[in-house]
Amino acid sequence: MTDASTTSHVLITGAAGALGRAVAQHFLDQGARLALVDHHADRLAEVFPGLDNSRHLLLAGDVTSASGMAGLAAQALKSFGQIDALVHIAGGFEMGEATHALSRESWDRMMNLNAWSFVAVTQ
């Protein structure tokens, strides 16, 4: 068990995905307190059953929304007092149009999720 002065406080986006779960488990094994972020709260609860909600946070949010992420960060900071590490895993890819037929909407969706989200999360 880790004492409060050496406990890490980690925020992980994309926590309900396969990589997110593995990363979360690594930090749980190290005794860290986690703020786990994913698009759907019910998916987080399903993936992390029995997680001590007095110690950890399950937060639903949109990683492409700077204001939404600011709210989640404020919630984590209020609960933890500090964030020692941010692990931004959220992202994605959708099959669909061939590159030569790619619509601007598809391009924007992928760029928002995989590039802009990095900015929104770190702000």
Side-chain angles (χ1 to χ4, degrees), residues 92-113:
F93 174 76
E94 63 184 42
M95 293 299 292
E97 303 152 320
T99 304
H100 69 276
L102 187 65
S103 70
R104 181 59 190 242
E105 293 77 22
S106 293
W107 173 262
D108 288 345
R109 195 170 37 257
M110 290 295 97
M111 292 305 293
N112 280 335
L113 183 57

Side-chain angles (χ1 to χ4, degrees), residues 20-79:
R21 291 190 306 260
V23 170
Q25 189 59 56
H26 167 78
F27 283 110
L28 286 169
D29 292 347
Q30 302 301 311
R33 292 183 73 192
L34 304 180
L36 302 172
V37 178
D38 209 88
H39 198 66
H40 302 288
D42 56 341
R43 180 75 176 125
L44 283 167
E46 177 185 313
V47 170
F48 297 99
L51 193 67
D52 181 358
N53 290 333
S54 67
R55 183 165 164 75
H56 306 286
L57 299 172
L58 300 179
L59 304 170
D62 177 359
V63 296
T64 66
S65 168
S67 62
M69 288 308 300
L72 294 182
Q75 193 175 345
L77 286 170
K78 181 178 180 183
S79 180

Side-chain angles (χ1 to χ4, degrees), residues 11-13 37 60-75 86 88 117 119-123:
L11 190 145
I12 302 171
T13 70
V37 178
D62 177 359
V63 296
T64 66
S65 168
S67 62
M69 288 308 300
L72 294 182
Q75 193 175 345
L86 165 63
H88 179 46
S117 67
V119 175
V121 168
T122 58
Q123 287 180 341

Side-chain angles (χ1 to χ4, degrees), residues 1-8 27-33 55:
M1 180 141 191
T2 333
D3 74 35
S5 65
T6 60
T7 300
S8 293
F27 283 110
L28 286 169
D29 292 347
Q30 302 301 311
R33 292 183 73 192
R55 183 165 164 75

